[in-house]
Amino acid sequence: MTRVLLTGFEPFDGADVNPSWEVARLVAATPPEGLLITATRLSCVFGRAADELRTAVREFAPDVVVSLGLWSGRPDVCVERVAINVDDARTFDNAGRQPVDQPIVPDGPAAYFSTLPVKACVAAVREAGVPASVSNSAGTFVCNHVFYALMHLIATELPTVRGGFVHIPALPEQALDGSKPSLPASVAAHALRALLTAAATHPTDLRIPEGATR
Ligand code: PCA
């Protein structure tokens, strides 16, 4: 059994639901074969979210860690390639903090790559019938913060753990005015089951082009 820690976030920015937590719960409740999954909900607060993640990793001792977050406006499942060492918040987090241009780990590397097989993950989600892509920026808000903290923990203490970050679209009920794309939680959960299976079973990534021109 591969042990998987799946995290989602509490709602933020005035919303009353965050699809990342809804999907994490669904997937943990009905995991794909061969995976033992635990779901943890993280605060949408700089610093605190990283502490909660580190605690969950130490308690559960996972083989694979995937953190989920909402990227409102995206049409597909975005498998993040890189976490960067900067907090630069355009809005307040849930504790009213708004760091600007602060390093997440002072003297840490500028960036870490995901250690998930990102292209195999994208391929697996598409195979499951759900749109997906490699994303080359997780932003500079709490999602990137948690992603960087996870990769720093792995790089410094847990070299055998595979970890990464996935952004998902808004829920249909968050997009009823038609102004942005959306994905039902059940469909995103179906995609995540395929993604986690790929993450657990592909020792190396696929070598296929998924780059972007910007
Ligand atoms: N999305 C935000 C933070 C929490 C979430 O679900 C982000 O993309 O940074």
Side-chain angles (χ1 to χ4, degrees), residues 9-10 12 18 20 44 68-71 138 141-144 167:
F9 280 99
E10 67 181 359
F12 67 106
N18 188 323
S20 65
C44 189
L68 298 177
L70 163 66
W71 186 348
F141 195 51
V142 183
C143 286
N144 175 74
H167 268 113

Side-chain angles (χ1 to χ4, degrees), residues 82-98:
V82 59
I84 60 174
N85 190 12
V86 65
D87 289 335
D88 187 8
R90 203 164 44 183
T91 53
F92 296 109
D93 71 9
N94 285 355
R97 294 182 202 143
Q98 191 178 21

